[in-house]
Amino acid sequence: SYELTQPSSVSVSPGQTARITCSGDILSKKFTRWVLQKPGQAPMLLIYKDTERPSGIPERISGSSSGTTVTLTISGAQVEDEADYYCYCVADNSWVFGRGTKLTVL
Amino acid sequence: EAQLLESGGGLAQPGGSLRLSCAASGFTFTREVMGWVRQAPGKGLEWVSYITGNGGGTDYSDSVKGRFTVSRDNSKNMLYLQMDSLRVEDTAIYYCAKDRPYDGDYWGQGTLVTVSS
């Protein structure tokens, strides 16, 4: 089975850049997605195909990929960016999730 | 605009059954692989099951294999998850989801399943 590793938490001050990494061997072969989840809400897609943003997602949110590690970058972090962030990919129709990263902006 | 709308969640007793439904609209449902993902309270996202477009292929996570059955009715654009022999640890929000690697995945809003005596 595949594993994706994320830090459990990341903390930045308002206006700083937050970077959340996700690593796993499968990422060199499959596209990565990132979702944001706030308490009581469904996951919201932020990034797909490693670097693409769905319409409505601001440009300060970006994704990058290098080998077996992908990175979600949030520039100019705001208090409203506080949430849980999950990376995932789909391999053989099965969805493989990271354990999630709690972003704190304070 | 694509939409996935889950229903059927609620309270069930351990050992009991529930059937979840997912109504799909805004895309060509018939050809598409569909899946279920869940999230237990305070926990991360966990893949549960998938079914191929014609229903001929299915798979399940080890935690639900033998107890849950995924199916679909392409004439109604509906996806289902029959959950039997429910356990307390099946308590979660269940999301219907569609993998679109080149265009961005679809997620539903979820339906809450609570298994408790």
Side-chain angles (χ1 to χ4, degrees), chain A residues 16-42:
Chain A
Q16 287 189 327
T17 296
R19 293 182 179 86
I20 301 173
T21 59
C22 174
S23 60
D25 290 342
I26 190 65
L27 297 183
S28 64
K29 305 181 185 70
K30 298 293 182 183
F31 288 132
T32 307
R33 292 83 153 167
W34 290 93
V35 291
L36 163 158
Q37 190 177 36
K38 295 187 177 181
Q41 296 184 15

Side-chain angles (χ1 to χ4, degrees), chain B residues 31-79:
Chain B
R31 291 196 293 262
E32 307 293 347
V33 175
M34 297 295 300
W36 290 96
V37 173
R38 71 181 180 182
Q39 186 173 36
K43 303 294 186 182
L45 298 166
E46 177 191 15
W47 172 76
V48 173
S49 178
Y50 82 80
I51 184 168
T52 55
N54 64 5
T58 61
D59 200 6
Y60 304 88
S61 65
D62 288 344
S63 57
V64 308
K65 197 169 290 185
R67 300 187 298 120
F68 289 13
T69 304
V70 63
S71 63
R72 63 195 297 160
D73 184 339
N74 285 342
S75 68
K76 297 179 180 178
N77 283 7
M78 293 293 295
L79 176 71

Side-chain angles (χ1 to χ4, degrees), chain A residues 15-80:
Chain A
Q16 287 189 327
T17 296
R19 293 182 179 86
I20 301 173
T21 59
C22 174
S23 60
D25 290 342
I26 190 65
L27 297 183
S28 64
K29 305 181 185 70
K30 298 293 182 183
F31 288 132
T32 307
R33 292 83 153 167
W34 290 93
V35 291
L36 163 158
Q37 190 177 36
K38 295 187 177 181
Q41 296 184 15
M44 181 175 73
L45 187 68
L46 294 178
I47 296 288
Y48 66 97
K49 205 179 167 186
D50 294 344
T51 61
E52 299 295 314
R53 282 185 303 274
S55 61
I57 302 300
E59 290 184 7
R60 63 187 188 86
I61 307 288
S62 63
S64 61
S65 175
S66 179
T68 59
T69 298
V70 296
T71 302
L72 175 71
T73 300
I74 303 171
S75 302
Q78 304 167 5
V79 172
E80 49 265 38

Side-chain angles (χ1 to χ4, degrees), chain B residues 66-111:
Chain B
R67 300 187 298 120
F68 289 13
T69 304
V70 63
S71 63
R72 63 195 297 160
D73 184 339
N74 285 342
S75 68
K76 297 179 180 178
N77 283 7
M78 293 293 295
L79 176 71
Y80 304 103
L81 187 66
Q82 177 67 40
M83 305 187 296
D84 299 319
S85 302
L86 281 164
R87 304 169 180 169
V88 171
E89 54 265 34
D90 294 319
T91 294
I93 298 173
Y94 285 74
Y95 298 100
C96 171
K98 164 76 191 86
D99 166 36
R100 299 171 74 233
Y102 301 102
D103 301 293
D105 303 333
Y106 298 145
W107 286 78
Q109 289 302 301
T111 186

